[in-house]
Every structure is written in structure tokens, then in C-alpha cells.
Amino acid sequence: MNKHLEYIIGSNEDLYEVQTNAAGPEGSLPLTPEMLLHSPSGDLFGLSQNVGMGWNPSELNGKQFLLLSTQGGMRGEDGKPIALGYHTGHWEVGLLMKAAAEEIKAKGGVPFAGYVSDPCDGRSQGTTGMFDSFPYRNDAALVYRRLIRSLPTRKAVIGIATCDKGLPATMIALAAMHDLPTIIVPGGVTLPPTSGEDAGKVQTIGARYANDELTLEEAADLGCRACATPGGGCQFLGTAATSQVVAEALGMSLPHSALAPSGQPIWEEMARQSARAAITMEKLKLTTKDIITDDSIYNAMVVHAAFGGSTNLLLHIPAIAHAAKCRIPTVEDWNQINRKVPRIVSVLPNGPEHHPTVRAFLAGGVPEVMLHLRKLGLLKENVLTVTGETLGSVLDWWETSERRKAIKQRLIDADGIQPEDVIMSPEQAKARGLTSTFTFPVGNLAPEGSVIKSTSIDPSVVDEDGVYRHTGKVKVFTTEKAAINAIKTGGIEKGDIMAVIGRGPSGTGMEETYQLTSALKHLSYGKYVSLITDARFSGVSTGACIGHIGPEALADGPIGKLRDGDIVEIIVDRNELNGSLNFIGADPDAPLSYEEAEKVLAARDSHPDLAPDADLPDDTRLWAALQAASGGTWKGSVYDVDRIIETLEAGKEALKNRK
């Protein structure tokens, strides 16, 4: 007897009573002669499938609505896990799906549901899983689009998503459905622990323990309680929360839907409201191309600046614009908007008061911020929203709504926080020292540009004139593993400049280096260290961290020619939003002019250890090549089909001529 097979297969004679036929569903399909004569066979067989799954044949004639979400994991009826999801962000969105589907059915519609789950950037930090993070976005958007087209009888699409890649992928997919009504339901946020650390800071327990700034017991306790509720995106204004804000600012979501606390009644009701909005859009023949326009893209960028959102949206908003066939914003567009739009929201990670995102929701969320922006004349109020009303009408409603009054009062009652301390007037924000979000340094190390969340540089290392200046010797790392090891083992000291190179799209899929930036944020000496890289950062990253440096090192970018001991000069003006990033030679006592130093770099070979990561998957190598042919990261790392085909045809012709 094979003990292994006996253990695996077992023995149960009742299993062998296999049924070989069934009566089938009772009733009859609501067919007409016209349907039989003219409908595609797929439409007719679809009805058979619907009743086969248990739908009442008498209720088949309702309009069909497709619900797509990033749902992950498997919950029991009591909400407890049977199988874990990748992260809290997609753990509870099934409840939103259920609420929306029930609402559609109650209104006579026929809901369909599909799922494309998403990874967690926090879970993959510092691992090879990060090599699939950013490329996943394009893949998921592609699958979503295929699922939408594969149900040709759907009348509208509702996308339900929460986190860093799943929500941008959903927005990109729905933005491409120009002639369909589409709506986004943001999946909300998790609550902070009553006593403990947020999900951003807690990711540094390893680095702080290694530097004797945290005990084992403290690390274990803090790590256990950080995700205080089971669903929703992280409690800070990272990529997940910023993406929710952007979805609402685009008009793709209902007013005051971003950043709702996951699992609570106000959050669940949002799904039913969104279902009713989708039904209304279909009746009004209001489609995605009516919602996402050049003006709504502009509004999203303005609101992003006012919130002080994640740098990752510089990758996602252009991709949404590309999918919607709108004008793709340039670096100069971002620069101009950040110069004229004040940051007025005080939340994690930017501060100055580190309020969790649920407080931003209770302070009035996106519509409250928009009221301030409206007074400054910074919004395009004529754009349509998924409510069927213009943005101007929505803001008129919000200003006098009972919801606005009640939700603000709840913040006062629950936390003792005044709403105006979270979402400020421009005058109050200026008095509190809030500065605009981004600066885009250029120079001989970043001729195509770079980005820094300049508002999050520690004020204590900024000069009185509002300028951050750091000139020093660089320590070069060609892997993130080597860089974090240096931080943990004393290889990084106060005053160092870290250069992490070869970690852009071609090297790693443009990995997120929050493992490094969070360590520097929460170590006592970290504010005196600068980081420059061709990789990207988490939305919760803070400090003097310059990313997205272009060209990337593996595309012969000058950053790839740095050596240990080279002198680098960083200048970031947080008030004027100007910045520069330059190599100035190898001798601190005899600095070169920028032009002379540029010639020195040009004559050098690339760093001898510079290479794509040995563990880079073929899937990501293909993604990197396709997005590079499409314009690269500053175009949103999209798949521009026309440019890709043109490049392939040119390559085929070149190979033919070579032969």
C-alpha cells in the first residue's frame, strides 16, 4: 500500500455515486423571433449560461452591468480568513462588490462580476517580487480591457479597487472604454492603531533594530498592531490613497468617496450609490469620453498638488491620459501646476501634522480641498462627473450639504481634531509653512529630469532661504540589497550621498525603493543623508530622495558613470521649486564647472558592476522594452501600440538589410 497516495486520496465510497445528468433550470428563456433571427449565437448561449448559474429566467431581460475588482483572498461568512489576500487593500472590496451587485439587481439590472487581484508593494519591498510591481499595472489593465470586451452585452462597467497598482490599472482600463459608461469605487483606507505606528513607519522596524533604535519586543508589538482594521489601503497619503484622490478628482468617482474607512457603513453605502450612478449614466448615455478630458486631467493634477500626493502618480496620470486619448502632461506641466497650486492638506507622510488619511476624509476629503481651489480659480468647473452633473454643481451641493457638516463634526467628536487643521485654507497653510509638493531637478546627472518630493525634506536641514543644499562624496550601489545592507551595518553615515543605480525599468522594472527611504526617514541620522536613483519611490517616502533620474543608468545615463568618492552637488529650492543635480568632479578641494564635469562623465565607461538584475524576469524585460519604445517613464510607461509597431517594423527592415 502506498502510504503517500492513501494520505492524499483517502477513501470515501460515497464519492463514487456520480450523477450523470440533471433536469436543468425550470422555466424558459425570454426569447423572441427577432432575437433568434438576428442575435449572435454568443448572446443566446449567454442566456443559457446565466440561468445555468442560477439566475431566474424571468429576470434576464434587465440591462447588464459588469463589476470588476481587485478582490483577493478568501473570507468566511464571519469575515475571518480561509485564505489570505496579498494585502488589506483587496481583502474587503468583495463587500463593495456585493453591495453594488445587490443594488443593480434591486433596480432590475443583471450584474456580472470579474476579478483581477493585485500585488502589495509593501510585501514585496526589498524582494525580487518588486520586479513585477510596476509592470503588473500594464498587464492588469490589459486583462481588464479584455474582460470588458469579452462581455459584449454589458451596458456599463463599475471598477472597484484600492491600492498602488490595482487602482491605477483599473483607471487606465476604464479610461480606454471611451464609449461606455464607467465608474470607479475607491476601496478606502484602513484605520491607524489606537496606540502604535502607521503602516509606513512600521516597515522600518528592521533598520531601526539593526541600528539599536528599537528592541525586539518593541518591533514585534508595533508590527502586530500596525494594520488596525482588516481592509483598506495604508493610512498615509501614499500611492494607494493618492490614486483614490485622483480618481475622484478626475470625476470618475462619486464626490467624497476617496479615503473612506474600509468596512464601515458609509464606505459600503458608497458602492450602492455608485451602482445607482452607473444606472443613471447608462440612461443619460454619459460615457467615459465625456468624463475624462484634458480639463479633468488638469483638475486631477491640481488636486494632486494640493494634497501633496505620491510621486508615482507622475507615472499613472500620463498613462490614464494616454488611455483616454487625451493630451499627455509633460514635466513642464507638472512643474507649472506645482508652482501655482498651494499644498493645503496636512497628513502622513508630509505633515506638518501627521494625520492619518481617515482624518482627511472626515475633514471633507476631495470636495473640501476643491472648494479652496475653486476660490483661487484653479479648477475647470465645467467638466462632467459620474453624477451626471458638472464639477461646479457638485461643489455647490457639497458646500451646503448636511453630509459636509456632519462628517466634519464627527472628526471633532471622535478625535478632537478641527477639520481646518487637516485641510487648511491657503492662507493658513502658508502660515503653517506648507510648501508645494514636487521639484524637478535637472543637471549633468539628470539631463532628462528627475523628481523629489521637496515638501517632505526635513525642515531642520533646509537653509533659512528655503533651499536644501548638500554637496558631498557619493557612495554608489548597484543593488538595493547592497544599499540596505550598508544602512543596517554602519556603511552609511551622516553627510553621505547614496547613489543607487541600474534600478530603473531596464534593470529591475523600475523598483520601488521604500525600504531605503523609510529607513533614512526614521533613523536619527537619516535626514542628513541624500539618496539619488533611477528607480522610483513609494508614495510614503520622505526626505532628500531624488528619483526617476533620466536617462536611466542602463540607457547610458550619466548617473551610471558615478564612482565611490565622486563629488555630487544637490540644490533644491522648496519655495521657487527649482533644483539641480550635478557631478562636480572627484576632488572636493578643486570642484569642476558643470560643463567640465559633464565632459569627464562623458569620457568614462559605465560603472563596472552596472547590469540588469540577475533575477529580472523575462516578462519584465519585455515590459521594459515595450515601454521604452513608447516614450519611457516620463510618458507614463505605457504601451503605445503605434510606436511599438513602428519600431518593430523598422527593426525588421534593418535586419533584412543586414542579411
Side-chain angles (χ1 to χ4, degrees):
M1 181 181 294
N2 189 314
K3 292 183 178 180
H4 294 300
L5 285 176
E6 183 182 9
Y7 168 73
I8 294 168
I9 297 174
S11 177
N12 186 346
E13 293 184 2
D14 293 341
L15 297 176
Y16 308 144
E17 296 295 323
V18 178
Q19 183 177 332
T20 59
N21 57 73
E26 294 184 0
S28 61
L29 299 180
L31 298 175
T32 65
E34 184 178 352
M35 292 169 67
L36 291 171
L37 289 171
H38 302 295
S39 294
S41 64
D43 287 1
L44 301 177
F45 182 57
L47 298 176
S48 298
Q49 296 257 35
N50 295 347
V51 296
M53 288 183 278
W55 204 262
N56 190 325
S58 66
E59 298 175 350
L60 285 174
N61 281 334
K63 292 179 179 179
Q64 298 178 3
F65 291 79
L66 175 58
L67 284 70
L68 294 173
S69 93
T70 55
Q71 179 178 341
M74 191 181 303
R75 295 163 50 97
E77 290 297 321
D78 59 359
K80 292 182 179 178
I82 297 171
L84 292 169
Y86 284 63
H87 54 97
T88 61
H90 64 210
W91 178 245
E92 289 187 329
V93 293
L95 300 176
L96 293 175
M97 291 283 276
K98 183 173 182 289
E102 288 173 343
E103 186 71 13
I104 288 169
K105 185 178 181 183
K107 295 294 188 287
V110 181
F112 286 75
Y115 310 93
V116 181
S117 195
D118 57 344
C120 175
D121 282 2
R123 188 179 293 273
S124 61
Q125 289 293 336
T127 76
T128 55
M130 185 54 73
F131 300 167
D132 288 289
S133 172
F134 188 22
Y136 163 89
R137 184 205 68 178
N138 287 20
D139 296 343
L142 188 154
V143 173
Y144 273 133
R145 290 193 295 268
R146 291 196 187 280
L147 286 174
I148 293 168
R149 293 190 294 264
S150 296
L151 188 68
T153 50
R154 75 284 180 264
K155 298 297 184 182
V157 183
I158 301 174
I160 302 176
T162 301
C163 281
D164 292 25
K165 301 304 175 297
L167 181 49
T170 306
M171 287 193 283
I172 291 166
L174 268 56
M177 298 295 113
H178 308 138
D179 298 317
L180 272 177
T182 65
I183 187 170
I184 293 286
V185 184
V189 300
T190 190
L191 297 185
T194 303
S195 177
E197 295 181 352
D198 67 88
K201 186 174 182 179
V202 83
Q203 292 181 51
T204 69
I205 54 177
R208 285 184 285 159
Y209 175 76
N211 281 269
D212 296 322
E213 297 188 9
L214 203 64
T215 67
L216 175 62
E217 292 75 17
E218 288 170 334
D221 178 69
L222 292 169
C224 187
R225 68 179 71 232
C227 298
T229 50
C234 294
Q235 309 105 329
F236 46 79
L237 194 71
T239 307
T242 307
S243 296
Q244 294 183 41
V245 166
V246 163
E248 187 176 333
L250 282 167
M252 296 182 78
S253 298
L254 291 179
H256 199 231
S257 59
L259 313 181
S262 181
Q264 299 192 36
I266 195 169
W267 168 87
E268 194 168 344
E269 179 62 21
M270 182 175 64
R272 290 184 278 270
Q273 295 166 345
S274 298
R276 295 194 291 270
I279 292 169
T280 302
M281 290 178 74
E282 194 278 332
K283 287 180 180 178
L284 296 175
K285 301 187 185 304
L286 182 65
T287 68
T288 305
K289 68 174 180 288
D290 300 315
I291 305 296
I292 306 181
T293 63
D294 289 347
D295 282 351
S296 66
I297 294 288
Y298 165 85
N299 283 344
M301 295 169 69
V302 168
V303 172
H304 174 269
F307 267 85
S310 163
T311 56
N312 279 320
L313 272 294
L314 274 69
L315 300 166
H316 300 320
I317 288 179
I320 295 166
H322 175 264
K325 296 191 181 302
C326 294
R327 178 180 174 274
I328 297 175
T330 64
V331 176
E332 185 53 37
D333 293 329
W334 286 104
N335 209 348
Q336 288 180 1
I337 284 174
N338 273 271
R339 287 174 184 274
K340 68 182 180 181
V341 177
R343 180 171 69 90
I344 60 174
V345 182
S346 180
V347 293
L348 285 161
N350 298 335
E353 297 297 326
H354 292 152
H355 298 293
T357 42
V358 67
R359 288 183 180 169
F361 176 78
L362 292 173
V366 172
E368 193 68 22
V369 170
M370 282 184 153
L371 284 182
H372 290 296
L373 298 174
R374 170 196 238 184
K375 292 176 182 177
L376 296 175
L378 291 172
L379 293 175
K380 311 285 188 181
E381 295 187 46
N382 61 319
V383 297
L384 285 170
T385 71
V386 290
T387 64
E389 300 286 340
T390 65
L391 175 61
S393 295
V394 168
L395 294 180
D396 288 341
W397 163 79
W398 175 257
E399 193 164 18
T400 59
S401 70
E402 177 62 27
R403 182 183 179 103
R404 181 190 184 208
K405 180 181 178 182
I407 210 73
K408 287 186 170 188
Q409 187 60 47
R410 180 57 189 160
L411 178 58
I412 297 170
D413 295 343
D415 286 3
I417 299 294
Q418 294 297 319
E420 295 76 18
D421 289 337
V422 182
I423 297 175
M424 307 176 188
S425 68
E427 296 77 19
Q428 184 181 358
K430 185 176 181 180
R432 290 290 305 276
L434 275 71
T435 57
S436 295
T437 309
F438 296 138
T439 300
F440 300 90
V442 294
N444 61 30
L445 285 176
E448 289 182 358
S450 63
V451 64
I452 180 172
K453 189 185 279 190
S454 47
T455 191
S456 64
I457 301 174
D458 192 301
S460 67
V461 296
V462 177
D463 294 340
E464 290 185 2
D465 59 358
V467 179
Y468 174 77
R469 299 175 175 89
H470 188 180
T471 299
K473 291 184 178 181
V474 71
K475 291 180 178 176
V476 181
F477 303 92
T478 57
T479 68
E480 187 191 22
K481 183 177 181 180
I484 192 64
N485 184 64
I487 290 174
K488 288 184 173 182
T489 59
I492 298 300
E493 301 171 339
K494 178 179 179 179
D496 284 343
I497 296 176
M498 300 177 68
V500 184
I501 66 174
R503 313 313 283 177
S506 301
T508 66
M510 202 176 188
E511 68 183 359
E512 189 177 272
T513 57
Y514 180 61
Q515 183 181 204
L516 303 177
T517 60
S518 62
L520 294 176
K521 167 66 177 177
H522 295 293
L523 290 172
S524 56
Y525 64 85
K527 64 183 178 181
Y528 302 106
V529 176
S530 296
L531 172 66
I532 62 176
T533 183
D534 51 6
R536 61 190 177 88
F537 302 130
S538 163
V540 73
S541 291
T542 57
C545 305
I546 300 176
H548 298 219
I549 291 174
E552 62 173 314
L554 285 164
D556 201 32
I559 189 177
K561 298 183 177 185
L562 287 174
R563 302 289 193 275
D564 283 343
D566 282 343
I567 309 302
V568 168
E569 176 196 79
I570 301 171
I571 299 175
V572 178
D573 189 327
R574 299 203 314 166
N575 296 326
E576 298 298 323
L577 301 185
N578 293 320
S580 60
L581 176 60
N582 287 289
F583 163 72
I584 56 173
D587 185 350
D589 297 322
L592 302 176
S593 69
Y594 300 152
E595 294 76 15
E596 291 172 331
E598 183 177 357
K599 292 177 182 178
V600 171
L601 280 179
R604 282 185 182 178
D605 293 329
S606 293
H607 193 285
D609 296 332
L610 184 65
D613 196 285
D615 294 321
L616 190 67
D618 285 345
D619 296 331
T620 301
R621 290 177 57 216
L622 178 60
W623 165 86
L626 293 175
Q627 66 87 37
S630 303
T633 56
W634 290 102
K635 292 287 187 180
S637 292
V638 298
Y639 294 160
D640 186 324
V641 175
D642 291 336
R643 291 186 65 170
I644 291 169
I645 291 174
E646 181 182 358
T647 302
L648 288 172
E649 292 298 331
K652 285 159 61 177
E653 188 65 26
L655 290 173
K656 179 180 176 182
N657 292 335
R658 184 186 300 174
K659 291 178 181 178

